[in-house]
C-alpha cells in the first residue's frame, strides 16, 4: 500500500507531533509518544495485493481495488482510506481545509500506470 502517516491533535493534522513520535524509536519514550499522539495511516494507493504487482494497472483500477479492499475488510483507525474525487469543485473545496492541517492535494492521472503523484499546496 501507499500512504502517509499522520497525527491528529485538536481536530487538525500536526506534522510536528509525527516527527516527535518518530524521533523516539525505542523504549518507554516511544510507547509514551504513541499513546499521547497515536499515528494513523492514510492509504491512497495499492501497489501490491495478495502477492501480485499492481503497478502495471492504471490508477483508476488500483483505486477500485483499494476501495474494494476497504469495503471487504472494514479497516478502522489507525487505518484510513484517503478521500478521492474526480470532481474539480470538490477538489477546490478540499483546498480550503488548511485549518484542519491539510497542506496539499495529490493528483494522479486515472490512466497512469505509475504511482507518481503531483502535490499542490493547500493554500493560495
Amino acid at each position: 500500500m501507499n500512504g502517509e502517516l499522520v497525527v491528529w491533535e485538536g481536530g487538525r493534522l500536526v506534522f510536528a507531533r509525527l516527527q516527535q513520535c518518530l524521533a523516539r524509536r525505542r523504549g518507554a519514550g516511544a510507547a509514551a509518544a504513541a499513546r499521547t499522539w497515536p499515528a494513523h495511516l492514510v492509504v491512497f494507493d495499492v501497489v501490491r495485493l495478495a502477492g501480485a504487482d499492481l503497478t502495471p494497472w492504471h490508477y483508476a483500477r488500483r483505486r477500485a481495488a483499494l476501495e474494494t479492499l476497504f469495503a471487504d475488510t472494514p479497516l478502522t483507525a489507525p487505518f484510513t482510506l484517503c478521500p478521492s474525487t474526480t470532481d474539480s469543485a470538490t477538489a477546490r473545496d478540499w483546498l480550503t481545509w488548511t485549518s484542519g492541517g491539510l497542506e496539499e492535494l495529490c493528483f494522479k492521472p486515472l490512466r497512469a500506470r505509475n504511482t507518481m503523484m503531483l502535490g499542490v499546496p493547500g493554500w493560495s
Side-chain angles (χ1 to χ4, degrees):
M1 285 197 206
N2 220 348
E4 186 168 338
L5 286 173
V6 299
V7 172
W8 289 93
E9 182 179 61
R12 60 178 285 117
L13 297 171
V14 183
F15 185 70
R17 297 293 181 244
L18 178 61
Q19 290 177 312
Q20 290 171 337
C21 288
L22 295 175
R24 299 177 179 134
R25 296 176 187 233
R26 293 193 174 99
R35 281 190 304 276
T36 305
W37 305 298
H40 296 255
L41 178 63
V42 179
V43 180
F44 49 80
D45 199 356
V46 59
V47 294
R48 292 193 67 78
L49 186 60
D53 178 11
L54 306 187
T55 57
W57 292 10
H58 293 160
Y59 175 69
R61 186 175 175 198
R62 289 195 318 270
R63 178 64 191 203
L66 181 62
E67 289 174 359
T68 298
L69 178 64
F70 268 77
D72 291 348
T73 308
L75 298 175
T76 58
F79 303 100
T80 305
L81 179 61
C82 185
S84 179
T85 188
T86 58
D87 180 69
S88 60
T90 299
R92 274 193 300 276
D93 183 51
W94 290 349
L95 287 171
T96 66
W97 292 4
T98 55
S99 63
L102 180 74
E103 295 178 354
E104 67 182 20
L105 294 182
C106 294
F107 296 84
K108 289 188 173 205
L110 294 176
R111 304 281 303 157
R113 287 190 166 93
N114 62 38
T115 59
M116 183 181 76
M117 296 182 305
L118 299 172
V120 175
W123 55 84
S124 47

